[in-house]
Amino acid sequence: MKRLEEIFASGLLEDYVLGTLSKNETDLVNSWINEYPKVKAYIDSLEASLEKASVKNGIKPPKSTKLKVLRDLDPEYQKPSISSYLGFAAAFLIGILSMFGIHQYLEHRAETLSEQQLAQIKADCQQTKDELKSAEALLFFLTHEATQTTKLTSNNTELMVYHNGVAKQAKIRCHNLPLLGKNETFQMWADVEGKMINMGVFDGSNHSYQNLEFIDSAESFNVTIEPEGGSDHPTVSKIVVSQKV
Amino acid sequence: MNQAVWKKRAITKDQKAMEELYDAYSAALYGHILRRVKKPAIAEDLLQDVFVKVWKNVDKFDPEKGRLFTWLHRITMNTVNSHFTARAQKLQLEQLDYTGETYSNYSSYSSHEYLDIKGSISNLQPQLKEVIELVYFTGYSQSEAAKILKIPLGTVKTRCRIALRQLRKLHYVSPAVASGTLLLLILIIL
């Protein structure tokens, strides 16, 4: 026991921990460590205290240092393998090809869309143009000074005949004509000097302007119901409406 | 970290073992180096040297004779001292008036940012704290510390021993004290 007390009082154990002993002194302390477990435990507790203090007062090196240090120990540390390089390359290639494909598709789609759109717009324009032209022509015809208007009425039926001797054109506009039977049609007749002359057949749909043959010097206009395709002579029993000009 | 198990892994050059060691102790060792060399770039190089030496000499570490960190600390301080010795030799070869980096520069150390020691060390008396800072944290020899502090070598040695004993007391709770405290707590609860 006295021996242990002497060892602890010598100060050599603290010097051992600080690494300030000579070779002989170090060997001596090593022999005590092997011989006395208390010496070993004491030295361990001294070292543990210094370790705690060191860790507590540590200063973190820059993050890049770790890679440098570990690469120094093992040049292959965290280096991508050939397979991962190939994987990278494959992924890169696929990415590039996909992007190229998508780009081509979008470009093609954009071209197609613009062509379709252009064609549609052109068609719409043409249609509008045609409609405008027709409307202008109709307006011109209806308001033309040579156009004569004859209104044919009977009960709820109303039919307007626009007749222009200069343009040699005739148009009608129907409203509430009676329903036709199967295989029947309306037919317009012009009475010229007691003779009924065919002006053409029409379907009698409401509010639409329909062209008929122009007959000069018509004294009256007469509408009959005739078999589909029309007749050479009017069926008098089936007169719908009639009006003198 | 189980030191014996770690050693076995490190001997087989287990990369993960060295990574774990780096994560556990690099900051502590870098702190020691930086306090002495004061230049981060040099400190990083020296830290790299330390780990190379550890990797090459891991078979020399004996877990029976001491803690792993004590062994690492010694390698670190030897590396730092070798750096200054090499520098001194180079300066002498160049016939420059080398007075030693250590003693002439110590006055600036007291206000050095890296010497702000925290934790239990700061609870030591100032005379004890300064010798531990110089000898343990900065890696000067006791003779150098005596010259720096302008006190006898024997005084440095005595102060180092007292400082270590006091530090141990601050960290270490003996099994007898621990079991007595536990018993007291149980009695209070009952």
Side-chain angles (χ1 to χ4, degrees), chain A residues 185-197:
Chain A
T185 188
F186 293 108
Q187 190 164 0
M188 178 72 81
W189 304 93
D191 178 9
V192 181
E193 294 172 355
K195 198 176 177 182
M196 288 294 188
I197 297 169

Side-chain angles (χ1 to χ4, degrees), chain A residues 111-125:
Chain A
E111 277 175 9
T112 313
L113 277 177
S114 58
E115 275 176 12
Q116 283 176 349
Q117 282 173 333
L118 198 63
Q120 187 61 46
I121 290 166
K122 274 182 182 173
D124 289 348
C125 273

Side-chain angles (χ1 to χ4, degrees), chain B residues 23-114:
Chain B
D23 291 341
Y25 294 124
S26 61
L29 299 177
Y30 184 71
H32 283 285
I33 300 169
L34 194 57
R35 282 185 187 97
R36 179 70 176 273
V37 303
K38 296 191 284 186
K39 290 180 178 166
I42 297 173
E44 282 175 52
D45 287 345
L46 293 177
L47 184 71
Q48 212 164 331
D49 291 347
V50 167
F51 275 93
V52 171
K53 285 178 186 171
V54 169
W55 199 233
K56 284 181 179 168
N57 297 290
V58 71
D59 57 312
K60 291 178 186 159
F61 164 62
D62 184 356
E64 292 301 312
K65 285 186 181 162
R67 294 174 76 86
L68 178 59
F69 184 75
T70 307
W71 184 66
L72 296 173
H73 179 256
R74 274 192 199 143
I75 292 173
T76 304
M77 287 306 139
N78 286 340
T79 306
V80 171
N81 286 325
S82 298
H83 161 75
F84 281 114
T85 306
R87 204 177 78 155
Q89 284 171 349
K90 192 183 171 195
L91 287 169
Q92 279 173 343
L93 283 172
E94 289 170 0
Q95 295 181 326
L96 292 173
D97 181 21
Y98 177 69
T99 55
E101 54 80 32
T102 54
Y103 323 135
S104 57
N105 289 349
Y106 179 67
S107 56
S108 65
Y109 270 44
S110 55
S111 59
H112 196 273
E113 56 178 317
Y114 302 130

Side-chain angles (χ1 to χ4, degrees), chain A residues 8 11 14-17 40 42 44-45 47 49 51 54 57-59 62 65-66 73-74 77, chain B residues 15 18-19 22-23 25 27 30 32 35 44 52 64-65 67 70 74 117-118 136 161 165 168 171:
Chain A
F8 283 120
E14 287 80 10
D15 294 348
Y16 175 85
V17 170
K40 189 174 189 285
Y42 180 74
D44 188 65
S45 62
E47 289 183 346
S49 308
E51 184 179 327
S54 290
N57 288 285
I59 299 166
T65 310
K66 182 176 177 180
L73 306 179
D74 179 3
Y77 178 76
Chain B
Q15 201 181 66
M18 191 47 83
E19 201 175 338
Y22 184 91
D23 291 341
Y25 294 124
Y30 184 71
H32 283 285
R35 282 185 187 97
E44 282 175 52
V52 171
E64 292 301 312
K65 285 186 181 162
R67 294 174 76 86
T70 307
R74 274 192 199 143
I117 302 293
K118 305 181 285 275
Y136 185 72
R161 289 167 187 168
R165 284 171 194 161
R168 178 179 170 272
H171 287 137

Side-chain angles (χ1 to χ4, degrees), chain A residues 132-240:
Chain A
L132 185 64
K133 207 173 174 181
S134 300
E136 275 177 351
L138 182 63
L139 183 67
F140 177 79
F141 175 79
L142 294 176
T143 56
H144 193 269
E145 56 185 7
T147 301
Q148 286 182 331
T149 306
T150 309
K151 190 176 184 179
L152 288 68
T153 54
S154 169
N155 300 323
N156 287 330
T157 296
E158 186 180 295
L159 196 145
M160 302 292 288
V161 177
Y162 304 95
H163 204 245
N164 187 308
V166 177
K168 308 286 182 193
Q169 283 183 7
K171 290 179 189 292
I172 56 164
R173 186 172 180 262
C174 310
H175 180 67
N176 278 343
L177 261 67
L179 286 174
L180 290 171
K182 200 177 176 182
N183 302 324
E184 284 182 336
T185 188
F186 293 108
Q187 190 164 0
M188 178 72 81
W189 304 93
D191 178 9
V192 181
E193 294 172 355
K195 198 176 177 182
M196 288 294 188
I197 297 169
N198 178 21
M199 290 177 71
V201 295
F202 58 95
D203 61 14
S205 56
N206 280 342
H207 305 302
S208 62
Y209 290 92
Q210 296 178 53
N211 291 322
L212 291 177
E213 288 291 325
F214 172 77
I215 303 298
D216 204 6
S217 307
E219 292 168 8
S220 71
F221 296 115
N222 310 273
V223 176
T224 57
I225 295 174
E226 302 294 340
E228 196 172 16
S231 305
D232 294 332
H233 302 283
T235 308
V236 181
S237 59
K238 287 194 173 179
I239 286 183
V240 177

